[in-house]
Amino acid sequence: MYRIIFGADTPAGKAFDVAVMSAILLSLPLVFIESLPNLHPTFKLILTILEYVLTAFFTLEYIARVYCSPVRHKYVFSFFGIVDFLAMFPPYIFFFLPSARYFILFRTFRLIRVFRVFKLFSFINEGYLLMESLRKSVKKILVYFLFVLILVTCLGTLMYMIEQDEPGTGFTDVGTSIYWAIVTMTTVGYGDITPVTFVGRLLAAFIMLLGYTIIAVPTGIVSATFIDETQRPVRNGRCPRCEAKVGKGDHYCANCGEKL
């Protein structure tokens, strides 16, 4: 049962995963169609029945996954375990929170398993490199995010000090001014709040130009880490990705498909 549900190296396991992904692909259009206004009651009833059938299928699948997992809590609190739960649970709280049913769109995350099912190792490898680069860049990005948060707080407060006494100003409080600074620095520019004084416009222009100079920093951090990850050599006869043993003349890892 474990090999069929969690593995894709047997015909039964592959068929099971294909069935699950087919059910996911079927359930997603149902959500979009059901959200349309003025649906015919009969058509809406058919969609509801289909959704209940798919929910029952995903519920049984989730219970089976928990049941046959060697370490159940490890699966339940893993990324895919949480995604599987969110894909199954929302229809059960529909009567208490109707909008929660749209959480079933989290099922799209489960389609990531397609790379494992069809043994697309090159895609798996690239995905691993990206995730590992993001993981190793998290601390640097958090420090950068804190710096930007402090910066927009100071600039938003400064704009409030400049614009607060002007007639018809949109900078009515510090919170609104900080919101404006965030929108301006990220170059989104909704235009719902604009400065009216000459000094305020100068500050706004400075924030816009500043946004262009700092917005690319996280991309540079991740890109540098990504390059480092792609250039990791084999050490001590082990794959730099999964740490599995590799032969001296191997060009690819037999365990994960990493190019050596």
Side-chain angles (χ1 to χ4, degrees):
M1 188 175 178
Y2 175 81
R3 288 189 65 188
I4 292 173
I5 293 177
F6 284 94
D9 55 343
T10 63
K14 187 173 181 179
F16 178 81
D17 283 332
V18 169
V20 170
M21 286 187 288
S22 299
I24 294 169
L25 291 173
L26 175 62
S27 68
L28 297 180
L30 297 181
V31 179
F32 294 117
I33 296 172
E34 197 175 29
S35 66
L36 295 173
N38 303 321
L39 276 178
H40 192 278
T42 303
F43 190 50
K44 192 167 185 177
L45 177 63
I46 294 171
L47 293 177
T48 302
I49 293 172
L50 283 173
E51 181 55 43
Y52 285 150
V53 170
L54 289 170
T55 299
F57 171 77
F58 288 121
T59 301
L60 292 173
E61 183 224 356
Y62 180 77
I63 293 171
R65 286 183 182 275
V66 175
Y67 171 75
C68 69
S69 296
V71 185
R72 292 174 182 173
H73 71 274
K74 188 175 181 180
Y75 162 71
V76 169
F77 294 104
S78 67
F79 171 76
F80 278 113
I82 294 172
V83 169
D84 292 344
F85 178 78
L86 291 175
M88 173 273 299
F89 184 68
Y92 290 106
I93 58 173
F94 166 71
F95 297 103
F96 305 101
L97 188 63
S99 60
R101 67 187 310 155
Y102 297 108
F103 272 110
I104 63 178
L105 291 176
F106 276 97
R107 290 172 185 170
T108 53
F109 280 104
R110 304 188 65 190
L111 295 176
I112 296 173
R113 290 189 175 113
V114 69
F115 301 117
R116 175 179 60 83
V117 174
F118 295 104
K119 302 187 184 303
L120 303 175
F121 290 114
S122 60
F123 290 94
I124 295 174
N125 185 42
E126 295 302 322
Y128 167 79
L129 288 173
L130 178 60
M131 293 302 297
E132 191 66 12
S133 300
L134 290 171
R135 186 185 67 81
K136 291 188 176 181
S137 303
V138 165
K139 292 181 181 178
K140 296 176 185 176
I141 292 176
L142 285 176
V143 172
Y144 170 78
F145 177 77
L146 179 61
F147 165 75
V148 173
L149 188 62
I150 294 171
L151 186 61
V152 294
T153 301
C154 294
L155 292 174
T157 303
L158 182 59
M159 181 61 81
Y160 174 71
M161 294 167 60
I162 296 170
E163 296 279 327
Q164 63 174 324
D165 295 326
E166 296 300 318
T169 182
F171 298 89
T172 54
D173 55 80
V174 174
T176 301
S177 301
I178 293 173
Y179 156 78
W180 171 87
I182 294 171
V183 170
T184 304
M185 183 170 287
T186 55
T187 70
V188 175
Y190 289 125
D192 53 342
I193 305 171
T194 55
V196 294
T197 65
F198 175 74
V199 178
R201 288 172 179 172
L202 279 180
L203 179 59
F206 170 74
I207 295 174
M208 293 173 199
L209 295 173
L210 183 64
Y212 276 111
T213 62
I214 68 174
I215 201 168
V217 173
T219 305
I221 293 172
V222 176
S223 298
T225 308
F226 188 86
I227 292 170
D228 291 340
E229 284 295 305
T230 58
Q231 295 177 346
R232 285 195 303 168
V234 174
R235 291 196 179 111
N236 302 320
R238 292 188 176 274
C239 171
R241 172 186 169 189
C242 67
E243 299 293 330
K245 281 282 188 181
V246 295
K248 187 174 182 180
D250 291 351
H251 296 290
Y252 295 89
C253 174
N255 183 57
C256 68
E258 170 80 358
K259 187 176 181 180
L260 304 175

